[in-house]
Amino acid sequence: MALAQTPFVSAEQINALCSYEKIVENQRQVFKNFYLDEAVMGPRAILSQGENAQFSYIARASKDGPTIVKFGTVVPSNSGRNISVVQTTVSVIDAITGSIKLFLDGEAVTKWRTVCASIAAAKELANPVKKIAIIGMGHQGKAHALAAKEIFKPEQIIGIDKELKNNDLSIDLTQDIEAAYGCDLIFICTNSQDPVINSALKSGSTCISIGSFAPNRLEVSVGALAQADKVFGDDAKTISEQAGSVVKTLAQAERNWDQAQSIGGVYAQKINGRENREEVIYYFSVGLGIQDAALAEFILANGEF
């Protein structure tokens, strides 16, 4: 007997279902659930191979929801091959039968959950935003710029990259990293293993880092991060073990902050977020399986597959 083909949900189908408002709330809720032990996540696996990395996640966004298994690679040199730097596949396992129910376009899932988790954290932690910097104008950098423009409607967005490409986003472009230091909100979306932020940020700044996802990747230097007032992440334990900037700062430096804190505790109103306009705050995202699982639940609830 021929086996039924497992449905594949394309990027176009996912994009048609999603909006910033809906997925920001989706991501906010799953971090809250995880903090309150209502979401389930297995150990995160990551292998480094020079500048490349391979990873896998297994998670559920709710106790009785479907399990997702996501695996993929990060290959920075793919930017010169016209191939995605991050390549992933997400499988959704039926909670009742244990069969694979759907395959999801991994790039679309990663884009939506990463961008909207960043926006959710920025909305919670940042002061009123007038100037935004996006460091690294690859796929994620552009996606963050589009979302930031729509959500925050700032006076200026500055895209910072080593290579100045076609400006199809109508933002200001520069190669000068110093432009970031005058901004209220900074998104770091690079694949750099070396720090791109090396000095203390101005009073009241908020910085969101999504590229320090492994111990050998440091988008923020130890010296700069040690001078922050607060450090949050998608999960305190995970970023303290996996986010290179946080790992190295905890091990090597005297610092203004004690320990990293989980953003879910802020969403659950169990932990204070920003407490005054002067605080310098960092948020690190290494990417958690619960984020993909939450988006998978959203897709199952809102699509017909």
Side-chain angles (χ1 to χ4, degrees), residues 8-272:
F8 176 81
V9 185
S10 69
E12 291 75 15
Q13 290 171 299
I14 293 171
N15 292 340
L17 290 172
C18 294
S19 69
Y20 294 130
E21 181 181 7
K22 291 176 181 177
I23 306 307
V24 165
E25 181 55 34
N26 171 268
Q27 294 297 294
R28 182 183 173 95
Q29 185 62 48
V30 77
F31 285 125
K32 178 180 175 181
N33 287 354
F34 188 59
Y35 185 81
L36 298 174
D37 293 324
E38 295 171 5
V40 183
M41 183 170 67
R44 176 176 180 264
I46 185 165
L47 296 176
S48 295
Q49 192 172 37
E51 68 171 1
N52 302 335
Q54 303 85 40
F55 60 86
S56 64
Y57 309 139
I58 184 168
R60 290 192 296 274
S62 57
K63 289 182 178 179
D64 299 321
T67 298
I68 66 95
V69 179
K70 178 180 182 180
F71 58 93
T73 61
V74 181
V75 182
S77 60
N78 277 349
S79 59
R81 301 186 180 101
N82 200 28
I83 302 173
S84 296
V85 169
V86 180
Q87 300 176 80
T88 64
T89 299
V90 179
S91 61
V92 184
I93 300 173
D94 188 274
I96 297 173
T97 66
S99 302
I100 297 178
K101 190 175 182 69
L102 294 174
F103 286 111
L104 307 179
D105 183 277
E107 187 172 339
V109 169
T110 302
K111 180 193 75 172
W112 277 103
R113 60 84 147 158
T114 304
V115 169
C116 290
S118 293
I119 295 296
K123 289 179 69 175
E124 189 71 42
L125 300 174
N127 281 314
V129 176
K130 292 184 178 180
K131 292 178 65 176
I132 295 175
I134 314 284
I135 304 175
M137 292 303 296
H139 292 300
Q140 279 289 346
K142 289 181 177 180
H144 277 73
L146 286 170
K149 180 182 288 189
E150 181 170 327
I151 299 299
F152 295 106
K153 296 177 173 57
E155 295 176 2
Q156 183 182 27
I157 297 180
I158 303 171
I160 303 170
D161 201 281
K162 292 180 180 178
E163 299 180 13
L164 298 183
K165 302 173 184 177
N166 292 334
N167 187 3
D168 53 358
L169 301 175
S170 298
I171 64 174
D172 297 322
L173 293 179
T174 182
Q175 294 176 311
D176 184 7
I177 193 68
E178 294 298 320
Y181 292 97
C183 293
D184 310 300
L185 176 60
I186 303 165
F187 295 99
I188 318 179
C189 308
T190 76
N191 293 298
S192 178
Q193 291 180 285
D194 301 313
V196 294
I197 292 293
N198 286 285
S199 302
L201 300 180
K202 73 169 186 174
S203 175
S205 298
T206 303
C207 183
I208 312 288
S209 165
I210 69 167
S212 297
F213 59 83
N216 67 331
R217 293 177 185 268
L218 290 82
E219 289 187 315
V220 182
S221 72
V222 170
L225 188 57
Q227 296 180 68
D229 295 297
K230 291 184 177 180
V231 174
F232 294 92
D234 37 26
D235 175 57
K237 182 176 186 295
T238 303
I239 68 166
S240 296
E241 296 172 352
Q242 293 288 341
S245 295
V246 180
V247 173
K248 293 289 193 294
T249 305
L250 285 171
Q252 297 180 17
E254 294 185 5
R255 54 192 182 276
N256 293 339
W257 49 281
D258 181 23
Q259 299 293 326
Q261 300 182 83
S262 299
I263 195 66
V266 180
Y267 298 152
Q269 298 184 327
K270 303 292 185 181
I271 297 173
N272 292 328

